[in-house]
Amino acid sequence: MLGLALLAVIKGSDLIVDKEGLKEDILAWRLKEVKALAEKHDKVFAVLVEFLYDENPHVRANVLQIIKDMISEGKMPRSRLQRVLPRILELARDKDERVALKAIEVINVLLESGNLSDDEYERIMETLQSVLKSGVPILGEYAAEGLGKLGANVVSIAYKLINWLFSLIGSSKKRDVQSAAITALTEIASKTTDPNILNRVFDGVTDLLSHPDPYVVERALYSIDRLLVREKELSMRNKLKAVSKIKELRGDVKLSFLASQVMEKLEKATNIDEEIVEREDVTKALEVSKYSIDDVEKLLDAGKAEIVAEMAKLDPTVMEKILSMLESEDYTRRMDALWIVSRVTPHLTPTDAYRILPILGEFLKSKNTWARETAAKTLADLYALYPGTAKFFASLLEALLKSINPFDIEGALEFMVRLSEKIPTEEMREKITKLILHLLENARARGITLKFLAKEAQRLLELDTEALFTLKDKLKELYGSEGGRYDEIIAGLIDVIDDILKMRRQGIVANI
């Protein structure tokens, strides 16, 4: 209970704050009660400011959460904000990652609320730049979101920030830094009301399509795809330049599919002959423009989820509604939301992405094959967009693979396959091969793994020759085990491997 051990009333209106009692309440997560007292009493708020210097990181983080809630609810007077802001900026670089992340969340909420001086905006920018440049994945991604809000809302520093971000992409060798910088630029361009800023970012991102690192090129394509939602505000020069650059990527094995998707949108956006514009695209645009958030449920009931997906790209309130729907008690609504999220993934901010990771992780355990596959693809897309998710995925895979539920194991395999599509590296192929061999050793997981391999047999082409021989030896070893229960599947897989090896010897398919 939040004691009135917390406060003692002396001489009528004078208050003495029981600091130890207050700290206990903070550590016990009685944050709403503490917040209510802090809003009412300056002395309680003063103690919270002191607690931002506490040695215990849990105290610091929970006080930051209280401050975040106060700002969100419009209950942080200007005088109090001036007292606490310098320390919040310091905590954004706290040695404890949880504290630093919470401080950046506070900053991002503060940027949404506005009411800051030019000097405060500059100090916030410098802090977020420092965090982004540090290369700590999850912190950099949240800092990128903050810089995006800052650049979109404060025109006076937008160009300074944009130039810095492009320079950072060119000078840094860290993919996490480059990725976060592209996220920040995309957030600026997607949220700004100034078409000149939008076009400046789009032009610079288009230049990144010539970057030597395929990862940066892929992130640039995702950025362009998202910004094409505002294609009417883009200059014809910029759109034609993007068409020219993307044409060069169509021959790239890894990027060709994404490049083709973006190219299709660009070709429609640059077509000024109204008679040639496809009728269905005009109809879709008209439909999207005439609906609002109040129509989302009706559209879904009418089977028009595609229209809702387009609305979510344009309207943050619709996006919020769809993300909330992922946890709906209505099964059909959850499936609708999953379908939409899978199609608007590049439009999710870091906050959106990290919020839905656990929900998508639960979908990986679903008995519904479509839900598992769609969740796996969406999670792989989020990993490619935000590398800071790696820790979450490591924990998720560990939990799934330890499960006795066959659907959990299949979900883990499905995710790894989708991830290998996004990151087709030798290291990733080795990880998948080791995982498959490990699961085949486990009698509990063997059946589901063999069935999964049979279903995805065409993916064996992606394994190198050494891995194929290793897998073949393991399958031969298992043949006849468990009373021959899986012999038919095993024999079929061995035949497929033999065919692949034969085609490689004959030069019909390339060796890996």
Side-chain angles (χ1 to χ4, degrees), residues 340-442:
I340 292 168
V341 168
S342 72
R343 280 155 178 77
V344 301
T345 308
H347 296 260
L348 297 175
T349 66
T351 298
D352 294 335
Y354 281 96
R355 166 186 167 185
I356 65 173
L357 284 178
I359 307 169
L360 294 174
E362 287 301 311
F363 276 113
L364 272 186
K365 305 175 183 179
S366 175
K367 295 179 181 179
N368 183 318
T369 301
W370 176 86
R372 279 201 313 277
E373 292 177 353
T374 304
K377 176 185 178 300
T378 306
L379 286 166
D381 288 342
L382 289 177
Y383 179 84
L385 283 170
Y386 302 120
T389 56
K391 289 182 181 179
F392 167 82
F393 288 124
S395 299
L396 174 63
L397 284 170
E398 183 179 3
L400 290 173
L401 294 171
K402 285 182 178 178
S403 172
I404 60 173
N405 188 330
F407 294 112
D408 291 1
I409 295 171
E410 188 168 357
L413 286 165
E414 188 71 52
F415 170 68
M416 289 297 288
V417 166
R418 299 302 174 189
L419 193 57
S420 71
E421 292 175 349
K422 302 297 298 183
I423 311 171
T425 62
E426 183 178 346
E427 181 184 5
M428 185 58 66
R429 286 194 294 269
E430 287 178 0
K431 286 182 178 179
I432 292 177
T433 303
K434 287 179 181 178
L435 173 61
I436 289 170
L437 293 172
H438 170 73
L439 292 174
L440 290 175
E441 290 277 4
N442 187 332

Side-chain angles (χ1 to χ4, degrees), residues 37-264:
L37 286 167
E39 289 168 359
K40 186 176 181 181
H41 302 289
D42 281 335
K43 287 188 177 180
V44 177
F45 183 78
V47 174
L48 292 187
V49 176
E50 288 181 32
F51 284 167
L52 289 176
Y53 294 86
D54 196 271
E55 292 182 358
N56 188 333
H58 296 290
V59 173
R60 300 197 299 276
N62 284 0
V63 171
L64 284 167
Q65 181 61 51
I66 292 170
I67 291 171
K68 177 184 172 182
D69 292 341
M70 292 175 73
I71 295 170
S72 298
E73 296 169 16
K75 296 178 180 178
M76 178 67 71
R78 177 79 185 150
S79 57
R80 285 186 171 186
L81 178 60
Q82 289 176 321
R83 289 170 61 189
V84 79
L85 182 58
R87 181 55 180 163
I88 293 172
L89 297 180
E90 290 176 352
L91 291 176
R93 287 167 279 198
D94 194 272
K95 61 183 180 181
D96 186 285
E97 188 172 303
R98 182 172 177 269
V99 174
L101 181 58
K102 189 61 65 176
I104 297 169
E105 288 179 5
V106 175
I107 292 169
N108 288 352
V109 169
L110 189 58
L111 289 170
E112 288 178 3
S113 66
N115 194 32
L116 298 168
S117 67
D118 290 344
D119 178 63
E120 287 167 338
Y121 279 126
E122 287 283 347
R123 282 188 285 154
I124 287 173
M125 182 180 73
E126 290 170 3
T127 297
L128 295 179
Q129 285 176 313
S130 174
V131 173
L132 190 150
K133 194 174 181 179
S134 71
V136 180
I138 186 171
L139 300 182
E141 288 155 5
Y142 273 83
E145 188 172 350
L147 289 171
K149 293 175 182 177
L150 186 57
N153 297 333
V154 187
V155 177
S156 61
I157 62 175
Y159 286 101
K160 181 195 304 185
L161 187 53
I162 290 167
N163 291 337
W164 180 80
L165 288 165
F166 278 120
S167 174
L168 187 62
I169 294 168
S171 62
S172 177
K173 302 301 180 184
K174 295 181 179 179
R175 281 185 169 182
D176 292 330
V177 173
Q178 293 169 324
S179 172
I182 294 173
T183 296
L185 288 163
T186 308
E187 288 293 310
I188 291 171
S190 64
K191 291 182 169 62
T192 184
T193 57
D194 187 332
N196 292 322
I197 291 175
L198 168 62
N199 276 280
R200 166 68 183 93
V201 172
F202 190 90
D203 182 56
V205 171
T206 300
D207 286 335
L208 293 178
L209 297 177
S210 300
H211 197 280
D213 187 343
Y215 177 77
V216 173
V217 177
E218 182 180 39
R219 289 305 314 274
L221 280 170
Y222 277 121
S223 177
I224 289 170
D225 183 50
R226 180 175 175 186
L227 297 182
L228 284 175
V229 170
R230 301 182 62 179
E231 58 92 4
K232 291 183 180 178
E233 299 169 73
L234 294 170
S235 70
M236 184 58 69
R237 172 193 168 278
N238 271 345
K239 287 185 280 193
L240 291 172
K241 176 181 176 181
V243 167
S244 176
K245 290 277 189 180
I246 293 174
K247 279 182 179 178
E248 299 172 9
L249 300 174
R250 283 183 154 176
D252 187 297
V253 175
K254 182 178 183 294
L255 298 172
S256 59
F257 180 71
L258 177 58
S260 295
Q261 286 183 314
V262 179
M263 176 64 81
E264 184 179 355

